[in-house]
Amino acid sequence: VTDKKSSFYGLIATVPNYNAYASNNHRNDKVSDDLIELTHLHEPAVVHALQLRYAKQEIYTATGPILLALNPFCEIKGLYGPSALERYRCGGNAPTSSSGLKPHVYRTSQDAYRAMMLGIETRRFSNRKKAQDPSSGNNSEADQCILVSGESGAGKTH
């Protein structure tokens, strides 16, 4: 087994291959807003990406449709409030997504609202074209759910 040299914040350590994980190449500590875009997706890579984002006070990170939030334990100016809310309410050019905006709890809620409204409009349009088929099931295409999970005191009710 050959050893690999690993650099972490300027420190170099020699570790056995079986303890080494492939590293994502973050230029200037720039990490994508969405962890799905990581080349190597394993626990150390996710933790490292979250550490880099947290250090820049970017507490929200997407993992596909899932929003990860880290408690900053301090107020981050401009993160919440009427102007931030309006940016996410009006933001994004796509009718069903706030794409183009950074991950945020406002983006998650806006995406759920847009998907719900699109489902309602789609159902209305299809009901106009044909009589409602009782075998078609329920109206779940408009239903949305947001699950908030975390430890006690983690900041879920901010």
Side-chain angles (χ1 to χ4, degrees):
V1 174
T2 60
D3 291 348
K4 287 186 176 180
K5 288 192 177 184
S6 172
S7 174
F8 183 73
Y9 294 112
L11 303 174
I12 297 178
T14 302
V15 295
N17 268 344
Y18 58 84
N19 286 338
Y21 288 92
S23 174
N24 291 295
N25 188 11
H26 303 297
R27 293 191 178 167
N28 300 325
D29 290 338
K30 172 83 174 106
V31 181
S32 173
D33 291 337
D34 195 334
L35 295 180
I36 287 181
E37 295 176 10
L38 291 178
T39 304
H40 305 287
L41 190 58
H42 45 72
E43 185 178 353
V46 169
V47 170
H48 182 65
L50 292 174
Q51 285 174 332
L52 293 175
R53 292 183 57 76
Y54 186 84
K56 295 190 283 184
Q57 291 190 327
E58 293 179 348
I59 63 165
Y60 292 115
T61 306
T63 303
I66 298 169
L67 179 68
L68 301 176
L70 302 176
N71 189 342
F73 298 103
C74 65
E75 184 176 340
I76 298 176
K77 191 172 184 166
L79 188 61
Y80 304 107
S83 63
L85 183 60
E86 189 66 15
R87 189 169 55 248
Y88 284 89
R89 190 182 71 77
C90 297
N93 296 325
T96 60
S97 174
S98 303
S99 59
L101 294 172
K102 290 194 165 289
H104 195 286
V105 68
Y106 293 163
R107 177 178 165 183
T108 300
S109 61
Q110 186 63 27
D111 286 349
Y113 177 77
R114 287 180 184 185
M116 179 182 69
M117 295 309 294
L118 182 64
I120 290 170
E121 287 302 313
T122 301
R123 190 173 56 242
R124 274 191 200 151
F125 179 73
S126 67
N127 285 343
R128 285 185 205 144
K129 292 182 84 174
K130 63 179 181 170
Q132 184 151 354
D133 181 6
S135 65
S136 66
N138 60 21
N139 298 328
S140 63
E141 68 270 5
D143 295 343
Q144 296 293 308
C145 176
I146 297 175
L147 173 66
V148 180
S149 176
E151 294 182 8
S152 178
K156 298 178 297 294
T157 58
H158 179 9

